[in-house]
Amino acid sequence: MSAAVQEMSARVSQAERLAAFARVTTDDVDEAAEQIGRIFCPHDLKPAGARAAGFSARHNCANFDGFSINYVAYGGSVSIDPGCLDRFFLVQIPLSGAARIRVGAGEFDAAPGRTASLLSPTIPTRMIWSDCAQAILLLDRRMVEQRAAALSGSAAGPVEFDPAVDLNTPSGQALRTSLAELTTLAERLGPSGLTSPIAMADWREMLLDRLLNGLRHGRSDAIRTFSGRAERLPRALRAARDHLAENAGEPLDLAQLAGAAGIGIRALQLGFRRHFGLSISEMLLDMRLAGLHTRLAQASPDVSITDIAFDLGFTHLGRMAGAYREKFGETPSATLRRRMS
């Protein structure tokens, strides 16, 4: 181990996380860019000064299904230019040092206990880290975009977050706590440890909720509208929506739905259009598609797509597959294959 890496080890020994998951430990700039680039994405990495004196890099990474938790630290001051991340979202929570983040045309400073960053895959990014260590959550782009589609009642497409995350707001604190707990879990399990698929699915759901319902992004308003949170939802429509969700696998019965809401059918239809921006049938279809996507994303190897579809109330598999592809950008079988790979 070189003197620079030994010096960095002494400097971060108290703060280093995920040490058992070490992937990169080097004081060579080119090696750091190449190895970390293979884990994240190709990027330009340069010492901020004319010489690389004092440079060192460390990357520890624990992988899970659809996401990973990482510890990344650079000694010295370095510029990092990944451009557009393309395949994933990154939540970066500073643990020590400082980072200057440029996302699109805006810039801000990230610092421990104050400000984190959330990088979206479609917005170009450049950063300068100064003796900085960060806990980094990587989430698969397709997973986030498909969940946003399920929550917003719209087709899957780009999701772009406000890049600066105030760690002193309730949502920022909740995100920081979740990453700390996930890091501790990974450390307790170790590289060879196993946890149940159900537990990991719960973690995945919680992280997606923290991002899509807790932080601001381009689909926030659509999610609020579709969930009925954009304005105070009348009790009758809340009851109707809940009844529809609880009975999504059953044939639609407008008279029964209106009875559960306590209003007439026509008033119910107008209310759905006004408050949710959808007809009752469109909302039911979206609930079923979202349920199918969730089930497939958590499926066991012996699952039958047909059985799940019928269980969720679909009666025409061809139309179901077409609607699913339009919403999530892939067929149900493609979702299942990705889950099994």
Side-chain angles (χ1 to χ4, degrees), residues 2 81 84 86 92 94 106 114 128 149 178 184 195 215 309 314 328:
S2 71
D81 186 357
C84 292
D86 189 43
Q92 301 184 131
R114 296 206 305 269
I128 295 178
S178 296
T184 299
T195 188
L215 302 179
F314 291 103
F328 296 113

Side-chain angles (χ1 to χ4, degrees), residues 142-157 159 205 208 212-213 217 219 222-229 241 276 278 282-295 297 323-324 326-329:
R142 184 182 290 272
M143 178 179 73
V144 175
E145 291 181 349
Q146 289 183 341
R147 181 52 52 87
L151 291 171
S152 64
S154 56
V159 178
E205 294 301 308
L208 288 170
L212 291 169
N213 287 315
H217 53 85
R219 298 211 177 190
I223 289 174
R224 286 178 58 81
T225 297
F226 189 67
S227 67
R229 291 183 286 123
R241 180 199 57 196
F276 301 117
L278 295 170
E282 288 170 339
M283 175 169 277
L284 177 59
L285 173 61
D286 215 86
M287 287 176 172
R288 290 172 174 171
L289 291 172
L292 179 59
H293 182 265
T294 299
R295 294 270 292 272
Y324 189 96
E326 182 178 355
K327 183 174 182 62
F328 296 113

Side-chain angles (χ1 to χ4, degrees), residues 30-251:
D30 293 335
E31 182 182 5
E34 194 273 332
Q35 292 192 21
I36 296 177
R38 280 197 309 229
I39 300 170
F40 284 161
C41 65
H43 60 279
D44 289 332
L45 177 67
K46 298 177 182 176
R51 298 170 63 244
F55 172 85
S56 54
R58 176 169 298 180
H59 185 181
N60 306 332
C61 175
N63 273 310
F64 300 98
D65 182 19
F67 62 95
S68 67
I69 185 72
N70 304 262
Y71 172 87
V72 178
Y74 287 110
S77 183
V78 297
S79 66
I80 307 167
D81 186 357
C84 292
L85 302 176
D86 189 43
R87 298 180 296 104
F88 51 82
F89 293 81
L90 282 186
V91 178
Q92 301 184 131
I93 297 185
L95 301 175
S96 62
R100 182 71 173 169
I101 314 292
R102 182 176 182 84
V103 179
E107 290 188 7
F108 62 94
D109 292 315
R114 296 206 305 269
T115 307
S117 58
L118 204 173
L119 311 182
S120 302
T122 52
I123 306 178
T125 300
R126 287 184 293 167
M127 299 175 279
I128 295 178
W129 290 28
S130 301
D131 285 319
C132 186
Q134 302 205 51
I136 299 179
L137 173 69
L138 180 152
L139 298 109
D140 176 73
R141 174 181 178 177
R142 184 182 290 272
M143 178 179 73
V144 175
E145 291 181 349
Q146 289 183 341
R147 181 52 52 87
L151 291 171
S152 64
S154 56
V159 178
E160 296 183 344
F161 285 85
D162 289 356
V165 178
D166 186 346
L167 292 174
N168 293 306
T169 63
S171 57
Q173 291 173 348
L175 184 61
R176 178 170 55 174
T177 298
S178 296
L179 262 65
E181 291 175 348
L182 179 59
T183 300
T184 299
L185 173 64
E187 290 173 335
R188 180 168 57 82
L189 292 172
S192 60
L194 297 175
T195 188
S196 72
I198 293 177
M200 282 299 99
D202 288 344
W203 269 104
R204 190 167 55 246
E205 294 301 308
M206 184 268 291
L207 292 170
L208 288 170
D209 179 69
R210 289 277 187 268
L211 263 64
L212 291 169
N213 287 315
L215 302 179
R216 184 70 188 172
H217 53 85
R219 298 211 177 190
S220 293
D221 291 341
I223 289 174
R224 286 178 58 81
T225 297
F226 189 67
S227 67
R229 291 183 286 123
E231 58 181 303
R232 185 172 178 82
L233 192 64
R235 182 180 302 174
L237 289 182
R238 186 166 59 248
R241 180 199 57 196
D242 293 346
H243 181 86
L244 199 63
E246 291 167 4
N247 298 276
E250 303 298 324

Side-chain angles (χ1 to χ4, degrees), residues 247-272:
N247 298 276
E250 303 298 324
L252 177 60
D253 186 326
L254 286 178
Q256 185 182 72
L257 186 63
I263 58 176
I265 291 176
R266 184 57 179 161
L268 191 64
Q269 292 170 326
L270 293 173
F272 265 68

